[in-house]
Amino acid sequence: IRNLSGGLGHRLRYYYYKFWFKKCGKNVRIDEGVIFHNPENILVGNNVWIGSYSILTALPSYLIENKELIQKKNESYSKSKCNIELKDNIHIGSFNIIQGYGGVLICNNCTTSANVKIYSQSNLPSSKTKPKEETGASTMVKDKIVPSIAYPIVLNEGVWLGIGVCVFGGNIGKYTFVKTYSLVLGDLNSHSIYSGNPIRFEKKRYSWNKFKTNLGLLLDFVYRYHNNIFLVFWSCICPYF
C-alpha cells in the first residue's frame, strides 16, 4: 500500500499506520512512498500531512549499543523517551528526513518544505576520549569507536523551514522562518527570520505587521468614535472663545 496513489491509498495507509503508531489523530494524510522506521515510537496528532517519499526514523524499542555517545540537553524537550512527535496542523514536505534517535518534537501549525533534513543524532568525525584513534561513521562498523552526538530538536508553534534546510539540534522559537538551504546547529529566537551557513539572524518576522495592526486599531477607534472625540475636543476649547 506504500505506493498506492489517490484517495484509496491515503485511506489505506491511514488505517494501516494508525494501528502501528504509538498515537494517531484524525485527518492524517500520508502520501505515496513514505517510510516509517519503528512506528511504535512515533506520535501523530490531528490534521497532519506527510509528503511523498519522506522518511521518519524513530528510536527502536531495543537498545542500540553506543560506547561513545555525547548527550546534549535541550531545555524545551522534556520527554523521558526519545521519539518523534508531531502535534496538530502540521505539513511535512516531500522528501523530508526526520531522524528521531535523540528526540524530535514538532509543535502545532509547523511547516517543513521539501527536502528538509532533521537529525537529532549524528556521528562525529573523531573521538573525544581517544582523539588519536581512527573511528567509524556507521553502526555497521564493529571494530572501531563510532562517536556520535544526540541533541533533541524542538520546532515550536508556527515554525516554517524552507526548502533544503538542515537541522542538527536545538530549539527553534515560535513562528520563526528559516530560509532555504540554511544550516541550524542550535537555538533560534522566536518571531524571527534566519538564513545561511553558518546561520545568522536577519530580522524580526512580524514587527511591521504588529505596527500595522496597532495602527489599524487606532484608526478603527477614531472612525467609530469620531463624533464623541469631536464633542470632547470642542467642549474643552469652547470656554476659551
Side-chain angles (χ1 to χ4, degrees), residues 4-203:
L4 186 62
S5 62
L8 177 60
H10 287 138
R11 285 191 292 274
L12 289 176
R13 282 187 290 272
Y14 170 70
Y15 286 111
Y16 176 79
Y17 285 111
K18 184 177 181 180
F19 174 79
W20 288 104
F21 286 149
K22 188 172 183 179
K23 175 187 173 184
C24 184
K26 298 179 180 179
N27 191 30
V28 175
R29 177 176 177 177
I30 303 169
D31 283 350
E32 304 96 302
V34 175
I35 297 174
F36 299 101
H37 294 138
N38 311 307
E40 69 276 9
N41 289 323
I42 297 177
L43 296 85
V44 181
N46 300 313
N47 304 317
V48 175
W49 179 9
I50 302 175
S52 303
Y53 303 103
S54 290
I55 302 173
L56 283 73
T57 303
L59 187 71
S61 300
Y62 57 86
L63 180 65
I64 297 180
E65 184 180 3
N66 192 322
K67 296 179 180 178
E68 190 170 321
L69 173 65
I70 298 173
Q71 181 70 55
K72 290 193 70 174
K73 191 172 183 180
N74 185 336
E75 297 293 340
S76 298
Y77 189 85
S78 59
K79 305 295 180 183
S80 58
K81 181 175 176 58
C82 297
N83 50 38
I84 296 174
E85 183 172 0
L86 311 178
K87 296 284 191 179
D88 300 336
N89 312 320
I90 290 171
H91 181 207
I92 303 298
S94 299
F95 298 98
N96 277 212
I97 296 176
I98 302 177
Q99 192 258 49
Y101 279 20
V104 174
L105 171 61
I106 301 180
C107 297
N108 296 346
N109 306 322
C110 286
T111 298
T112 66
S113 303
N115 291 301
V116 165
K117 307 295 185 287
I118 298 174
Y119 287 90
S120 59
Q121 182 172 319
S122 53
N123 294 319
L124 294 171
S126 60
S127 169
K128 300 297 182 182
T129 58
K130 299 178 180 179
K132 295 183 180 180
E133 226 179 88
E134 294 176 336
T135 60
S138 164
T139 54
M140 301 306 293
V141 177
K142 304 300 180 183
D143 58 344
K144 302 284 184 184
I145 297 174
V146 183
S148 59
I149 181 171
Y151 192 178
I153 295 169
V154 177
L155 274 58
N156 285 283
E157 182 180 355
V159 167
W160 175 16
L161 303 181
I163 294 172
V165 168
C166 292
V167 183
F168 287 93
N171 180 57
I172 302 180
K174 294 173 65 174
Y175 289 95
T176 282
F177 170 51
V178 182
K179 288 188 174 181
T180 58
Y181 298 107
S182 297
L183 177 63
V184 180
L185 299 175
D187 295 348
L188 303 180
N189 293 328
S190 300
H191 301 100
S192 303
I193 296 177
Y194 287 85
S195 67
N197 178 11
I199 200 161
R200 64 187 183 278
F201 171 80
E202 284 197 0
K203 60 181 180 179

